[in-house]
Amino acid sequence: MRISKSVSVASAALTLTACVAAQAELEGPPEGRQQLVDAIDAAWVRMLDEGEYREIVNQFDAADMVVNIVDCLPDPEVTTFPEDPTGALKRILDEGKIRVGYTNTGIVDEGATAVHFTRMGDTMIEAILARIAKHYGADPIEVETVNIPPPFLNTQFLDRGDVDMLGLVNALGGSTRDGKRRRKARRYSCTMTATKQFVWVLKEGGPDWESFDDALNSSGTHFCAGPLANEFTKTYFDQPGQTTKTEFVADLANCLPKLVNGTADGMVGPLPHDGYFPELIDVDGDGEAETPTAGLFRAIDTYMVTGTPLWVAIN
């Protein structure tokens, strides 16, 4: 651990103690972490069975955007809460607190795709934790948010014990920063939010693609993407003559003007219609959003769906 000279000895000692404590917890019984996943799944399945999942989706006007990947059926009888909590699950219940990691990309407003998911995801997690606490007769479980800055070393935060789980970030199909499959490097719950992916192009003057295959087989093209389509874009559009750029901050505000200016041919993301776009965008770069987005772009459905679970350390 590298400690700046400006940090006091007392602060350094406290930091070291916290790191050791977190690591000691992570080195506890791994069944406690699997129990946490199982408890999350049990709560989630009951949310499906009782309609709470759809209520939350509709609460945030996302019914035409979010789909449910049926990797967990609404069958509470076969998806049970674990008995005799131990390790991570027991500590969370005893302390009434869970550390949840989120990737921190800065301000999230209408210029970012994430604005349509953040509060909805938080509400889903709160509902899950409420059901877990109720089942075990525990006090309400408070979320302690841990911001994970660039370069978004999410798996390392889990492995070090800095967080108990990741929030609804990272789709199941992706990889870790060190090139491992996420589903091999972490424990994961049922898929909770899932969306189709779309390729957006300029309606007049843009590429004449009519299908995903047209975009996939194009050459000399550049694709802009946001953080919710980062790996999908990079791995599919890696053909000869294709380039990609992910805008991790304000992806809509940055990618959409590129389509108008011709510096990008397509924008990839999970938004199904332009009603989710900011009303105005800055096309001329003067710092003022003046160009209306309504009717300016068209979407090409890839007929592919990406889904996101909650993630827990595997060790």
Side-chain angles (χ1 to χ4, degrees):
M1 180 185 302
R2 182 174 299 170
I3 301 175
S4 170
K5 293 180 180 179
S6 64
V7 179
S8 68
V9 173
S11 297
L14 288 172
T15 301
L16 180 59
T17 301
C19 289
V20 170
Q23 186 66 30
E25 169 58 34
L26 189 61
E27 292 173 352
E31 60 266 26
R33 287 181 285 283
Q34 185 56 49
Q35 282 186 341
L36 175 58
V37 173
D38 292 343
I40 289 168
D41 285 349
W44 172 248
V45 162
R46 283 153 182 79
M47 287 173 60
L48 291 175
D49 187 51
E50 297 170 20
E52 187 176 11
Y53 161 71
R54 295 309 308 178
E55 289 176 3
I56 293 173
V57 169
N58 291 327
Q59 175 186 342
F60 291 94
D61 298 322
D64 56 355
M65 177 176 65
V66 174
V67 298
N68 176 225
I69 293 180
V70 192
D71 55 355
C72 293
L73 291 165
D75 190 349
E77 291 186 6
V78 301
T79 312
T80 58
F81 285 94
E83 299 179 0
D84 301 322
T86 187
L89 178 58
K90 184 178 187 302
R91 174 178 53 78
I92 290 164
L93 292 170
D94 290 345
E95 296 180 357
K97 182 176 68 174
I98 184 170
R99 297 161 298 170
V100 182
Y102 293 92
T103 49
N104 183 7
T105 57
I107 297 173
V108 178
D109 56 21
E110 67 168 5
T113 300
V115 74
H116 302 292
F117 295 87
T118 301
R119 288 177 56 234
M120 178 173 59
D122 290 346
T123 301
M124 287 184 179
I125 290 173
E126 289 168 3
I128 287 167
L129 295 176
R131 285 177 178 266
I132 292 174
K134 181 179 179 181
H135 174 81
Y136 290 104
D139 291 335
I141 301 171
E142 175 188 354
V143 172
E144 179 183 310
T145 299
V146 178
N147 290 315
I148 302 175
F152 310 125
L153 302 176
N154 298 347
T155 305
Q156 286 87 332
F157 268 65
L158 283 173
D159 289 345
R160 290 199 306 258
D162 295 336
V163 296
D164 297 307
M165 73 178 186
L166 298 177
L168 287 169
V169 299
N170 290 162
L172 186 58
S175 60
T176 65
R177 284 289 176 178
D178 55 356
K180 299 177 182 177
R181 293 180 71 195
R182 287 173 185 158
R183 65 173 67 222
K184 292 288 188 180
R186 310 169 185 167
R187 300 176 192 269
Y188 54 93
S189 70
C190 301
T191 304
M192 295 185 182
T193 57
T195 57
K196 283 186 176 183
Q197 293 290 336
F198 297 86
V199 178
W200 283 89
V201 297
L202 194 64
K203 186 178 290 186
E204 301 294 336
D208 60 357
W209 306 328
E210 295 296 333
S211 68
F212 179 51
D213 285 337
D214 291 340
L216 198 63
N217 295 322
S218 64
S219 183
T221 49
H222 178 69
F223 295 89
C224 191
L228 277 70
N230 173 41
E231 288 202 78
F232 177 86
T233 304
K234 289 192 301 184
T235 52
Y236 271 97
F237 296 107
D238 64 347
Q239 308 301 313
Q242 295 178 345
T243 57
T244 64
K245 171 71 186 307
T246 299
E247 297 286 354
F248 285 99
V249 180
D251 55 303
L252 297 175
N254 285 307
C255 287
L256 291 173
K258 291 182 181 182
L259 299 184
V260 178
N261 295 329
T263 54
D265 300 283
M267 180 188 78
V268 186
L271 303 181
H273 59 74
D274 61 8
Y276 288 106
F277 290 174
E279 183 179 354
L280 302 170
I281 54 175
D282 177 16
V283 171
D284 58 14
D286 66 354
E288 297 291 333
E290 301 162 334
T291 302
T293 58
L296 197 57
F297 309 99
R298 64 184 179 90
I300 299 168
D301 195 336
T302 68
Y303 293 98
M304 294 194 183
V305 175
T306 57
T308 305
L310 294 173
W311 300 95
V312 175
I314 197 167
N315 295 322

